[in-house]
Amino acid sequence: MTEPDTPLLSFNKITKRYGDKPALDDFSLELLPGMVVGLLGHNGAGKSTLMRAAMGILDIELGELKTLGESPAELSSSAKSRIGYVPQQPVGYEGFTVAQALSLHSSFYSDWDKELESQWLVRFGLDSKARVQQLSIGQRQSLALIMAMAYRPKLLLLDEPVASLDPISRQAFMSDLFELALESGSGVLFSTHITSDLERVASHVALIRQGKLVLMRELDLLREQIRLLHFSEGAERHQLPEGLTVLAQNRYSILVDGYQGQAISDAQIETVNLERLYMEMNRGEMNL
Ligand SMILES: Nc1ncnc2c1ncn2[C@@H]1O[C@H](COP(=O)(O)OP(=O)(O)OP(=O)(O)O)[C@@H](O)[C@H]1O
């Protein structure tokens, strides 16, 4: 059993290079039971690399990585049976019907919840007689999600799990995801480009840029502590009050962390949602 405050996943100063280009660069992050961490980052930021390293699918060069307290390269079968992983492009079970695929897959897991499987088949509108190779991309993704979650894993790693789902399936799945984590003390790490999904279900957000973790925070704290300060053209910029850290800035605005109601001379203070935060933090990179 994993103790409540033992990390389900622990990245400690991880570096992974492809050639001489780092895909993960001195990356540290801990996932504790009950946390639902949404990973946000551009294409190529390192999100899939992170999950594949956690699964032991690829090796890392530097740092220490533990998945359910074990080295990912040598995961025990007991640990494997407590991890659910949905890669970006789930594959497999061609030639099987949905029912056959689920029957084979479930045989690997003693905690498989048949009722949960049936509920999700209905919820996702999946026909158990359909052939896997004839499923649409979204339907395959739904099947992969059932396969990764119906045994209520302790650790769930989901690489853009809902990108191909329609909005109704997406909403249903995301709320289930949150409930599962809360009910069973599981931890979830999921990557997404849909900030509104993340805001709805995640407890924490992790921003990754060029393989580095640039911000990891509880969502509620993020809403409280981050502000966008606007200065009018020609306004004199006084020194920022103590306790504020600059996350990003351009000619007329500064994105700051550590806001606690401080008065800031000549600035208009704006709260930001996650999408805005993400855009502001990546302005330079996107040439906005
Ligand atoms: N097998 C590989 N060989 C060489 N470079 C790779 C390989 N896999 C990934 N990379 C590179 O590593 C970096 C991180 O890729 P990764 O797939 O982790 O990004 P990502 O954040 O998941 O992107 P996306 O949002 O597009 O899925 C990218 O620059 C990518 O080109």
Side-chain angles (χ1 to χ4, degrees), residues 123-159:
R123 189 171 253 191
F124 286 138
L126 275 182
D127 175 4
S128 52
K129 292 191 281 307
R131 301 228 148 248
V132 172
Q133 70 267 30
Q134 288 167 355
L135 297 179
S136 70
I137 293 174
Q139 288 167 330
R140 275 190 196 218
Q141 202 166 29
S142 308
L143 178 61
L145 288 170
I146 298 175
M147 287 180 163
M149 286 177 67
Y151 48 99
R152 301 176 191 277
K154 266 278 162 243
L155 170 62
L156 252 178
L157 298 169
L158 306 171
D159 201 352

PDB file of all heavy atoms in Angstrom, residues 123-159:
ATOM      1  N   ARG A 123     -21.913   5.097 -21.462  1.00  0.00           N
ATOM      2  CA  ARG A 123     -21.631   6.537 -21.428  1.00  0.00           C
ATOM      3  C   ARG A 123     -20.897   7.004 -22.682  1.00  0.00           C
ATOM      4  O   ARG A 123     -21.190   8.048 -23.244  1.00  0.00           O
ATOM      5  CB  ARG A 123     -20.801   6.833 -20.200  1.00  0.00           C
ATOM      6  CG  ARG A 123     -20.643   8.290 -19.958  1.00  0.00           C
ATOM      7  CD  ARG A 123     -20.016   8.483 -18.625  1.00  0.00           C
ATOM      8  NE  ARG A 123     -21.009   8.971 -17.715  1.00  0.00           N
ATOM      9  CZ  ARG A 123     -20.736   9.434 -16.510  1.00  0.00           C
ATOM     10  NH1 ARG A 123     -19.518   9.403 -16.071  1.00  0.00           N
ATOM     11  NH2 ARG A 123     -21.665   9.902 -15.734  1.00  0.00           N
ATOM     12  N   PHE A 124     -19.960   6.212 -23.145  1.00  0.00           N
ATOM     13  CA  PHE A 124     -19.201   6.581 -24.345  1.00  0.00           C
ATOM     14  C   PHE A 124     -19.914   6.146 -25.628  1.00  0.00           C
ATOM     15  O   PHE A 124     -19.430   6.383 -26.727  1.00  0.00           O
ATOM     16  CB  PHE A 124     -17.807   5.937 -24.324  1.00  0.00           C
ATOM     17  CG  PHE A 124     -16.831   6.574 -23.358  1.00  0.00           C
ATOM     18  CD1 PHE A 124     -16.001   5.796 -22.586  1.00  0.00           C
ATOM     19  CD2 PHE A 124     -16.730   7.951 -23.255  1.00  0.00           C
ATOM     20  CE1 PHE A 124     -15.076   6.370 -21.710  1.00  0.00           C
ATOM     21  CE2 PHE A 124     -15.808   8.537 -22.383  1.00  0.00           C
ATOM     22  CZ  PHE A 124     -14.988   7.740 -21.608  1.00  0.00           C
ATOM     23  N   GLY A 125     -21.046   5.449 -25.466  1.00  0.00           N
ATOM     24  CA  GLY A 125     -21.790   4.999 -26.649  1.00  0.00           C
ATOM     25  C   GLY A 125     -21.016   3.986 -27.463  1.00  0.00           C
ATOM     26  O   GLY A 125     -21.118   3.954 -28.695  1.00  0.00           O
ATOM     27  N   LEU A 126     -20.231   3.138 -26.803  1.00  0.00           N
ATOM     28  CA  LEU A 126     -19.434   2.143 -27.541  1.00  0.00           C
ATOM     29  C   LEU A 126     -20.228   0.851 -27.690  1.00  0.00           C
ATOM     30  O   LEU A 126     -20.792   0.345 -26.715  1.00  0.00           O
ATOM     31  CB  LEU A 126     -18.148   1.823 -26.771  1.00  0.00           C
ATOM     32  CG  LEU A 126     -16.939   2.722 -26.972  1.00  0.00           C
ATOM     33  CD1 LEU A 126     -15.767   2.189 -26.164  1.00  0.00           C
ATOM     34  CD2 LEU A 126     -16.557   2.799 -28.451  1.00  0.00           C
ATOM     35  N   ASP A 127     -20.236   0.320 -28.896  1.00  0.00           N
ATOM     36  CA  ASP A 127     -20.937  -0.938 -29.170  1.00  0.00           C
ATOM     37  C   ASP A 127     -19.969  -2.087 -28.880  1.00  0.00           C
ATOM     38  O   ASP A 127     -18.915  -2.178 -29.512  1.00  0.00           O
ATOM     39  CB  ASP A 127     -21.374  -0.925 -30.644  1.00  0.00           C
ATOM     40  CG  ASP A 127     -22.004  -2.239 -31.070  1.00  0.00           C
ATOM     41  OD1 ASP A 127     -22.178  -3.139 -30.203  1.00  0.00           O
ATOM     42  OD2 ASP A 127     -22.299  -2.366 -32.279  1.00  0.00           O
ATOM     43  N   SER A 128     -20.311  -2.948 -27.943  1.00  0.00           N
ATOM     44  CA  SER A 128     -19.351  -3.996 -27.564  1.00  0.00           C
ATOM     45  C   SER A 128     -19.132  -5.012 -28.691  1.00  0.00           C
ATOM     46  O   SER A 128     -18.148  -5.744 -28.671  1.00  0.00           O
ATOM     47  CB  SER A 128     -19.787  -4.690 -26.269  1.00  0.00           C
ATOM     48  OG  SER A 128     -21.099  -5.109 -26.376  1.00  0.00           O
ATOM     49  N   LYS A 129     -20.021  -5.019 -29.683  1.00  0.00           N
ATOM     50  CA  LYS A 129     -19.825  -5.960 -30.805  1.00  0.00           C
ATOM     51  C   LYS A 129     -18.963  -5.356 -31.929  1.00  0.00           C
ATOM     52  O   LYS A 129     -18.554  -6.060 -32.846  1.00  0.00           O
ATOM     53  CB  LYS A 129     -21.187  -6.376 -31.360  1.00  0.00           C
ATOM     54  CG  LYS A 129     -22.003  -7.246 -30.372  1.00  0.00           C
ATOM     55  CD  LYS A 129     -23.212  -7.885 -30.988  1.00  0.00           C
ATOM     56  CE  LYS A 129     -24.405  -6.984 -31.157  1.00  0.00           C
ATOM     57  NZ  LYS A 129     -24.913  -6.240 -30.012  1.00  0.00           N
ATOM     58  N   ALA A 130     -18.708  -4.070 -31.838  1.00  0.00           N
ATOM     59  CA  ALA A 130     -17.925  -3.415 -32.912  1.00  0.00           C
ATOM     60  C   ALA A 130     -16.489  -3.929 -32.916  1.00  0.00           C
ATOM     61  O   ALA A 130     -15.954  -4.306 -31.879  1.00  0.00           O
ATOM     62  CB  ALA A 130     -17.926  -1.906 -32.685  1.00  0.00           C
ATOM     63  N   ARG A 131     -15.876  -3.959 -34.116  1.00  0.00           N
ATOM     64  CA  ARG A 131     -14.481  -4.388 -34.226  1.00  0.00           C
ATOM     65  C   ARG A 131     -13.578  -3.207 -33.903  1.00  0.00           C
ATOM     66  O   ARG A 131     -13.822  -2.078 -34.366  1.00  0.00           O
ATOM     67  CB  ARG A 131     -14.165  -4.878 -35.641  1.00  0.00           C
ATOM     68  CG  ARG A 131     -15.024  -6.030 -36.075  1.00  0.00           C
ATOM     69  CD  ARG A 131     -14.205  -7.175 -36.689  1.00  0.00           C
ATOM     70  NE  ARG A 131     -14.879  -8.442 -36.376  1.00  0.00           N
ATOM     71  CZ  ARG A 131     -14.421  -9.373 -35.567  1.00  0.00           C
ATOM     72  NH1 ARG A 131     -13.259  -9.224 -34.958  1.00  0.00           N
ATOM     73  NH2 ARG A 131     -15.087 -10.475 -35.341  1.00  0.00           N
ATOM     74  N   VAL A 132     -12.518  -3.473 -33.158  1.00  0.00           N
ATOM     75  CA  VAL A 132     -11.631  -2.399 -32.718  1.00  0.00           C
ATOM     76  C   VAL A 132     -11.062  -1.619 -33.907  1.00  0.00           C
ATOM     77  O   VAL A 132     -11.027  -0.382 -33.899  1.00  0.00           O
ATOM     78  CB  VAL A 132     -10.499  -2.959 -31.822  1.00  0.00           C
ATOM     79  CG1 VAL A 132      -9.457  -1.888 -31.524  1.00  0.00           C
ATOM     80  CG2 VAL A 132     -11.063  -3.515 -30.528  1.00  0.00           C
ATOM     81  N   GLN A 133     -10.667  -2.329 -34.966  1.00  0.00           N
ATOM     82  CA  GLN A 133     -10.029  -1.626 -36.096  1.00  0.00           C
ATOM     83  C   GLN A 133     -11.016  -0.754 -36.869  1.00  0.00           C
ATOM     84  O   GLN A 133     -10.610   0.055 -37.697  1.00  0.00           O
ATOM     85  CB  GLN A 133      -9.287  -2.595 -37.035  1.00  0.00           C
ATOM     86  CG  GLN A 133     -10.161  -3.513 -37.863  1.00  0.00           C
ATOM     87  CD  GLN A 133     -10.382  -4.857 -37.147  1.00  0.00           C
ATOM     88  OE1 GLN A 133     -10.383  -4.923 -35.929  1.00  0.00           O
ATOM     89  NE2 GLN A 133     -10.562  -5.931 -37.903  1.00  0.00           N
ATOM     90  N   GLN A 134     -12.331  -0.962 -36.581  1.00  0.00           N
ATOM     91  CA  GLN A 134     -13.317  -0.123 -37.283  1.00  0.00           C
ATOM     92  C   GLN A 134     -13.768   1.070 -36.427  1.00  0.00           C
ATOM     93  O   GLN A 134     -14.626   1.840 -36.838  1.00  0.00           O
ATOM     94  CB  GLN A 134     -14.528  -0.971 -37.674  1.00  0.00           C
ATOM     95  CG  GLN A 134     -14.176  -1.926 -38.807  1.00  0.00           C
ATOM     96  CD  GLN A 134     -15.222  -3.009 -39.040  1.00  0.00           C
ATOM     97  OE1 GLN A 134     -16.189  -3.117 -38.290  1.00  0.00           O
ATOM     98  NE2 GLN A 134     -15.012  -3.806 -40.061  1.00  0.00           N
ATOM     99  N   LEU A 135     -13.208   1.190 -35.240  1.00  0.00           N
ATOM    100  CA  LEU A 135     -13.603   2.305 -34.376  1.00  0.00           C
ATOM    101  C   LEU A 135     -12.972   3.607 -34.871  1.00  0.00           C
ATOM    102  O   LEU A 135     -11.876   3.596 -35.433  1.00  0.00           O
ATOM    103  CB  LEU A 135     -13.138   2.059 -32.929  1.00  0.00           C
ATOM    104  CG  LEU A 135     -13.722   0.839 -32.197  1.00  0.00           C
ATOM    105  CD1 LEU A 135     -13.124   0.739 -30.801  1.00  0.00           C
ATOM    106  CD2 LEU A 135     -15.237   0.911 -32.122  1.00  0.00           C
ATOM    107  N   SER A 136     -13.675   4.709 -34.630  1.00  0.00           N
ATOM    108  CA  SER A 136     -13.092   6.014 -34.949  1.00  0.00           C
ATOM    109  C   SER A 136     -11.981   6.304 -33.935  1.00  0.00           C
ATOM    110  O   SER A 136     -11.869   5.595 -32.919  1.00  0.00           O
ATOM    111  CB  SER A 136     -14.152   7.108 -34.854  1.00  0.00           C
ATOM    112  OG  SER A 136     -14.499   7.295 -33.491  1.00  0.00           O
ATOM    113  N   ILE A 137     -11.209   7.349 -34.193  1.00  0.00           N
ATOM    114  CA  ILE A 137     -10.114   7.674 -33.265  1.00  0.00           C
ATOM    115  C   ILE A 137     -10.664   7.977 -31.872  1.00  0.00           C
ATOM    116  O   ILE A 137     -10.156   7.499 -30.856  1.00  0.00           O
ATOM    117  CB  ILE A 137      -9.291   8.864 -33.805  1.00  0.00           C
ATOM    118  CG1 ILE A 137      -8.563   8.426 -35.072  1.00  0.00           C
ATOM    119  CG2 ILE A 137      -8.284   9.365 -32.768  1.00  0.00           C
ATOM    120  CD1 ILE A 137      -7.827   9.517 -35.792  1.00  0.00           C
ATOM    121  N   GLY A 138     -11.761   8.740 -31.819  1.00  0.00           N
ATOM    122  CA  GLY A 138     -12.367   9.085 -30.524  1.00  0.00           C
ATOM    123  C   GLY A 138     -12.886   7.843 -29.813  1.00  0.00           C
ATOM    124  O   GLY A 138     -12.744   7.710 -28.595  1.00  0.00           O
ATOM    125  N   GLN A 139     -13.492   6.921 -30.591  1.00  0.00           N
ATOM    126  CA  GLN A 139     -14.003   5.681 -29.974  1.00  0.00           C
ATOM    127  C   GLN A 139     -12.842   4.828 -29.437  1.00  0.00           C
ATOM    128  O   GLN A 139     -12.944   4.219 -28.376  1.00  0.00           O
ATOM    129  CB  GLN A 139     -14.829   4.887 -30.990  1.00  0.00           C
ATOM    130  CG  GLN A 139     -16.166   5.540 -31.281  1.00  0.00           C
ATOM    131  CD  GLN A 139     -16.851   4.946 -32.511  1.00  0.00           C
ATOM    132  OE1 GLN A 139     -16.191   4.473 -33.445  1.00  0.00           O
ATOM    133  NE2 GLN A 139     -18.172   4.996 -32.517  1.00  0.00           N
ATOM    134  N   ARG A 140     -11.748   4.798 -30.171  1.00  0.00           N
ATOM    135  CA  ARG A 140     -10.576   4.047 -29.679  1.00  0.00           C
ATOM    136  C   ARG A 140     -10.047   4.668 -28.397  1.00  0.00           C
ATOM    137  O   ARG A 140      -9.613   3.985 -27.481  1.00  0.00           O
ATOM    138  CB  ARG A 140      -9.454   4.071 -30.719  1.00  0.00           C
ATOM    139  CG  ARG A 140      -9.619   2.999 -31.727  1.00  0.00           C
ATOM    140  CD  ARG A 140      -8.361   2.934 -32.571  1.00  0.00           C
ATOM    141  NE  ARG A 140      -8.663   2.186 -33.762  1.00  0.00           N
ATOM    142  CZ  ARG A 140      -7.841   1.331 -34.337  1.00  0.00           C
ATOM    143  NH1 ARG A 140      -6.652   1.125 -33.835  1.00  0.00           N
ATOM    144  NH2 ARG A 140      -8.193   0.703 -35.414  1.00  0.00           N
ATOM    145  N   GLN A 141     -10.077   5.991 -28.388  1.00  0.00           N
ATOM    146  CA  GLN A 141      -9.596   6.679 -27.187  1.00  0.00           C
ATOM    147  C   GLN A 141     -10.518   6.352 -25.997  1.00  0.00           C
ATOM    148  O   GLN A 141     -10.041   6.102 -24.894  1.00  0.00           O
ATOM    149  CB  GLN A 141      -9.587   8.184 -27.446  1.00  0.00           C
ATOM    150  CG  GLN A 141      -8.647   8.927 -26.536  1.00  0.00           C
ATOM    151  CD  GLN A 141      -8.383  10.339 -27.009  1.00  0.00           C
ATOM    152  OE1 GLN A 141      -9.223  10.961 -27.652  1.00  0.00           O
ATOM    153  NE2 GLN A 141      -7.216  10.850 -26.688  1.00  0.00           N
ATOM    154  N   SER A 142     -11.819   6.295 -26.253  1.00  0.00           N
ATOM    155  CA  SER A 142     -12.768   5.941 -25.185  1.00  0.00           C
ATOM    156  C   SER A 142     -12.471   4.538 -24.661  1.00  0.00           C
ATOM    157  O   SER A 142     -12.461   4.300 -23.452  1.00  0.00           O
ATOM    158  CB  SER A 142     -14.217   5.955 -25.692  1.00  0.00           C
ATOM    159  OG  SER A 142     -14.509   7.153 -26.329  1.00  0.00           O
ATOM    160  N   LEU A 143     -12.218   3.620 -25.592  1.00  0.00           N
ATOM    161  CA  LEU A 143     -11.925   2.237 -25.192  1.00  0.00           C
ATOM    162  C   LEU A 143     -10.634   2.190 -24.362  1.00  0.00           C
ATOM    163  O   LEU A 143     -10.570   1.524 -23.314  1.00  0.00           O
ATOM    164  CB  LEU A 143     -11.789   1.357 -26.443  1.00  0.00           C
ATOM    165  CG  LEU A 143     -11.442  -0.115 -26.201  1.00  0.00           C
ATOM    166  CD1 LEU A 143     -12.518  -0.811 -25.367  1.00  0.00           C
ATOM    167  CD2 LEU A 143     -11.264  -0.867 -27.541  1.00  0.00           C
ATOM    168  N   ALA A 144      -9.644   2.939 -24.809  1.00  0.00           N
ATOM    169  CA  ALA A 144      -8.371   2.961 -24.073  1.00  0.00           C
ATOM    170  C   ALA A 144      -8.576   3.520 -22.662  1.00  0.00           C
ATOM    171  O   ALA A 144      -7.939   3.068 -21.704  1.00  0.00           O
ATOM    172  CB  ALA A 144      -7.346   3.801 -24.832  1.00  0.00           C
ATOM    173  N   LEU A 145      -9.454   4.486 -22.533  1.00  0.00           N
ATOM    174  CA  LEU A 145      -9.720   5.071 -21.208  1.00  0.00           C
ATOM    175  C   LEU A 145     -10.396   4.059 -20.299  1.00  0.00           C
ATOM    176  O   LEU A 145     -10.063   3.938 -19.119  1.00  0.00           O
ATOM    177  CB  LEU A 145     -10.593   6.322 -21.349  1.00  0.00           C
ATOM    178  CG  LEU A 145      -9.882   7.534 -21.946  1.00  0.00           C
ATOM    179  CD1 LEU A 145     -10.864   8.640 -22.282  1.00  0.00           C
ATOM    180  CD2 LEU A 145      -8.837   8.062 -20.969  1.00  0.00           C
ATOM    181  N   ILE A 146     -11.346   3.305 -20.841  1.00  0.00           N
ATOM    182  CA  ILE A 146     -12.001   2.269 -20.028  1.00  0.00           C
ATOM    183  C   ILE A 146     -10.953   1.255 -19.587  1.00  0.00           C
ATOM    184  O   ILE A 146     -10.883   0.855 -18.426  1.00  0.00           O
ATOM    185  CB  ILE A 146     -13.136   1.566 -20.817  1.00  0.00           C
ATOM    186  CG1 ILE A 146     -14.221   2.567 -21.195  1.00  0.00           C
ATOM    187  CG2 ILE A 146     -13.740   0.420 -19.988  1.00  0.00           C
ATOM    188  CD1 ILE A 146     -15.334   2.007 -22.080  1.00  0.00           C
ATOM    189  N   MET A 147     -10.093   0.885 -20.537  1.00  0.00           N
ATOM    190  CA  MET A 147      -9.056  -0.107 -20.225  1.00  0.00           C
ATOM    191  C   MET A 147      -8.086   0.388 -19.157  1.00  0.00           C
ATOM    192  O   MET A 147      -7.519  -0.395 -18.413  1.00  0.00           O
ATOM    193  CB  MET A 147      -8.275  -0.479 -21.485  1.00  0.00           C
ATOM    194  CG  MET A 147      -9.078  -1.339 -22.432  1.00  0.00           C
ATOM    195  SD  MET A 147      -8.106  -1.723 -23.886  1.00  0.00           S
ATOM    196  CE  MET A 147      -9.032  -3.096 -24.547  1.00  0.00           C
ATOM    197  N   ALA A 148      -7.883   1.695 -19.116  1.00  0.00           N
ATOM    198  CA  ALA A 148      -6.914   2.225 -18.148  1.00  0.00           C
ATOM    199  C   ALA A 148      -7.540   2.525 -16.793  1.00  0.00           C
ATOM    200  O   ALA A 148      -6.840   2.678 -15.812  1.00  0.00           O
ATOM    201  CB  ALA A 148      -6.282   3.502 -18.688  1.00  0.00           C
ATOM    202  N   MET A 149      -8.876   2.610 -16.750  1.00  0.00           N
ATOM    203  CA  MET A 149      -9.477   3.089 -15.508  1.00  0.00           C
ATOM    204  C   MET A 149     -10.381   2.104 -14.792  1.00  0.00           C
ATOM    205  O   MET A 149     -10.701   2.308 -13.612  1.00  0.00           O
ATOM    206  CB  MET A 149     -10.255   4.374 -15.768  1.00  0.00           C
ATOM    207  CG  MET A 149      -9.327   5.549 -15.985  1.00  0.00           C
ATOM    208  SD  MET A 149     -10.186   7.069 -16.380  1.00  0.00           S
ATOM    209  CE  MET A 149     -11.041   7.416 -14.862  1.00  0.00           C
ATOM    210  N   ALA A 150     -10.826   1.057 -15.470  1.00  0.00           N
ATOM    211  CA  ALA A 150     -11.852   0.185 -14.861  1.00  0.00           C
ATOM    212  C   ALA A 150     -11.319  -0.658 -13.701  1.00  0.00           C
ATOM    213  O   ALA A 150     -12.095  -1.329 -13.034  1.00  0.00           O
ATOM    214  CB  ALA A 150     -12.499  -0.687 -15.930  1.00  0.00           C
ATOM    215  N   TYR A 151     -10.026  -0.629 -13.461  1.00  0.00           N
ATOM    216  CA  TYR A 151      -9.504  -1.337 -12.281  1.00  0.00           C
ATOM    217  C   TYR A 151      -9.095  -0.345 -11.202  1.00  0.00           C
ATOM    218  O   TYR A 151      -8.390  -0.695 -10.262  1.00  0.00           O
ATOM    219  CB  TYR A 151      -8.346  -2.275 -12.659  1.00  0.00           C
ATOM    220  CG  TYR A 151      -7.271  -1.663 -13.528  1.00  0.00           C
ATOM    221  CD1 TYR A 151      -6.094  -1.194 -12.970  1.00  0.00           C
ATOM    222  CD2 TYR A 151      -7.436  -1.561 -14.905  1.00  0.00           C
ATOM    223  CE1 TYR A 151      -5.100  -0.627 -13.759  1.00  0.00           C
ATOM    224  CE2 TYR A 151      -6.452  -0.985 -15.700  1.00  0.00           C
ATOM    225  CZ  TYR A 151      -5.296  -0.522 -15.128  1.00  0.00           C
ATOM    226  OH  TYR A 151      -4.331   0.059 -15.916  1.00  0.00           O
ATOM    227  N   ARG A 152      -9.585   0.890 -11.344  1.00  0.00           N
ATOM    228  CA  ARG A 152      -9.336   1.945 -10.359  1.00  0.00           C
ATOM    229  C   ARG A 152      -7.863   2.008  -9.952  1.00  0.00           C
ATOM    230  O   ARG A 152      -7.516   1.782  -8.789  1.00  0.00           O
ATOM    231  CB  ARG A 152     -10.219   1.759  -9.122  1.00  0.00           C
ATOM    232  CG  ARG A 152     -11.693   1.774  -9.419  1.00  0.00           C
ATOM    233  CD  ARG A 152     -12.514   1.490  -8.182  1.00  0.00           C
ATOM    234  NE  ARG A 152     -13.903   1.255  -8.515  1.00  0.00           N
ATOM    235  CZ  ARG A 152     -14.809   2.193  -8.710  1.00  0.00           C
ATOM    236  NH1 ARG A 152     -14.464   3.443  -8.589  1.00  0.00           N
ATOM    237  NH2 ARG A 152     -16.055   1.871  -9.025  1.00  0.00           N
ATOM    238  N   PRO A 153      -6.994   2.332 -10.913  1.00  0.00           N
ATOM    239  CA  PRO A 153      -5.558   2.352 -10.610  1.00  0.00           C
ATOM    240  C   PRO A 153      -5.200   3.444  -9.612  1.00  0.00           C
ATOM    241  O   PRO A 153      -5.910   4.448  -9.498  1.00  0.00           O
ATOM    242  CB  PRO A 153      -4.920   2.640 -11.966  1.00  0.00           C
ATOM    243  CG  PRO A 153      -5.985   3.303 -12.752  1.00  0.00           C
ATOM    244  CD  PRO A 153      -7.275   2.737 -12.301  1.00  0.00           C
ATOM    245  N   LYS A 154      -4.120   3.227  -8.922  1.00  0.00           N
ATOM    246  CA  LYS A 154      -3.622   4.212  -7.945  1.00  0.00           C
ATOM    247  C   LYS A 154      -2.993   5.395  -8.659  1.00  0.00           C
ATOM    248  O   LYS A 154      -3.014   6.513  -8.168  1.00  0.00           O
ATOM    249  CB  LYS A 154      -2.532   3.557  -7.072  1.00  0.00           C
ATOM    250  CG  LYS A 154      -3.065   2.979  -5.792  1.00  0.00           C
ATOM    251  CD  LYS A 154      -3.220   4.066  -4.733  1.00  0.00           C
ATOM    252  CE  LYS A 154      -4.127   3.677  -3.593  1.00  0.00           C
ATOM    253  NZ  LYS A 154      -5.317   4.438  -3.416  1.00  0.00           N
ATOM    254  N   LEU A 155      -2.394   5.095  -9.809  1.00  0.00           N
ATOM    255  CA  LEU A 155      -1.713   6.138 -10.564  1.00  0.00           C
ATOM    256  C   LEU A 155      -2.218   6.116 -12.008  1.00  0.00           C
ATOM    257  O   LEU A 155      -2.210   5.069 -12.654  1.00  0.00           O
ATOM    258  CB  LEU A 155      -0.197   5.872 -10.556  1.00  0.00           C
ATOM    259  CG  LEU A 155       0.667   6.719 -11.480  1.00  0.00           C
ATOM    260  CD1 LEU A 155       0.593   8.198 -11.119  1.00  0.00           C
ATOM    261  CD2 LEU A 155       2.131   6.262 -11.423  1.00  0.00           C
ATOM    262  N   LEU A 156      -2.689   7.270 -12.447  1.00  0.00           N
ATOM    263  CA  LEU A 156      -3.188   7.358 -13.820  1.00  0.00           C
ATOM    264  C   LEU A 156      -2.362   8.363 -14.607  1.00  0.00           C
ATOM    265  O   LEU A 156      -2.220   9.515 -14.179  1.00  0.00           O
ATOM    266  CB  LEU A 156      -4.624   7.879 -13.787  1.00  0.00           C
ATOM    267  CG  LEU A 156      -5.756   6.919 -14.100  1.00  0.00           C
ATOM    268  CD1 LEU A 156      -7.083   7.648 -13.968  1.00  0.00           C
ATOM    269  CD2 LEU A 156      -5.648   6.316 -15.481  1.00  0.00           C
ATOM    270  N   LEU A 157      -1.828   7.911 -15.734  1.00  0.00           N
ATOM    271  CA  LEU A 157      -1.062   8.796 -16.604  1.00  0.00           C
ATOM    272  C   LEU A 157      -1.795   8.876 -17.938  1.00  0.00           C
ATOM    273  O   LEU A 157      -1.936   7.852 -18.629  1.00  0.00           O
ATOM    274  CB  LEU A 157       0.346   8.226 -16.837  1.00  0.00           C
ATOM    275  CG  LEU A 157       1.213   8.067 -15.590  1.00  0.00           C
ATOM    276  CD1 LEU A 157       2.462   7.254 -15.899  1.00  0.00           C
ATOM    277  CD2 LEU A 157       1.597   9.439 -15.044  1.00  0.00           C
ATOM    278  N   LEU A 158      -2.278  10.048 -18.248  1.00  0.00           N
ATOM    279  CA  LEU A 158      -3.120  10.176 -19.434  1.00  0.00           C
ATOM    280  C   LEU A 158      -2.554  11.260 -20.354  1.00  0.00           C
ATOM    281  O   LEU A 158      -2.500  12.430 -19.986  1.00  0.00           O
ATOM    282  CB  LEU A 158      -4.546  10.555 -19.014  1.00  0.00           C
ATOM    283  CG  LEU A 158      -5.208   9.643 -17.978  1.00  0.00           C
ATOM    284  CD1 LEU A 158      -6.510  10.241 -17.477  1.00  0.00           C
ATOM    285  CD2 LEU A 158      -5.459   8.262 -18.565  1.00  0.00           C
ATOM    286  N   ASP A 159      -2.125  10.823 -21.525  1.00  0.00           N
ATOM    287  CA  ASP A 159      -1.496  11.745 -22.472  1.00  0.00           C
ATOM    288  C   ASP A 159      -2.548  12.267 -23.447  1.00  0.00           C
ATOM    289  O   ASP A 159      -2.940  11.558 -24.379  1.00  0.00           O
ATOM    290  CB  ASP A 159      -0.369  11.004 -23.210  1.00  0.00           C
ATOM    291  CG  ASP A 159       0.631  11.961 -23.813  1.00  0.00           C
ATOM    292  OD1 ASP A 159       0.381  13.184 -23.790  1.00  0.00           O
ATOM    293  OD2 ASP A 159       1.677  11.488 -24.300  1.00  0.00           O
TER     294      ASP A 159
END
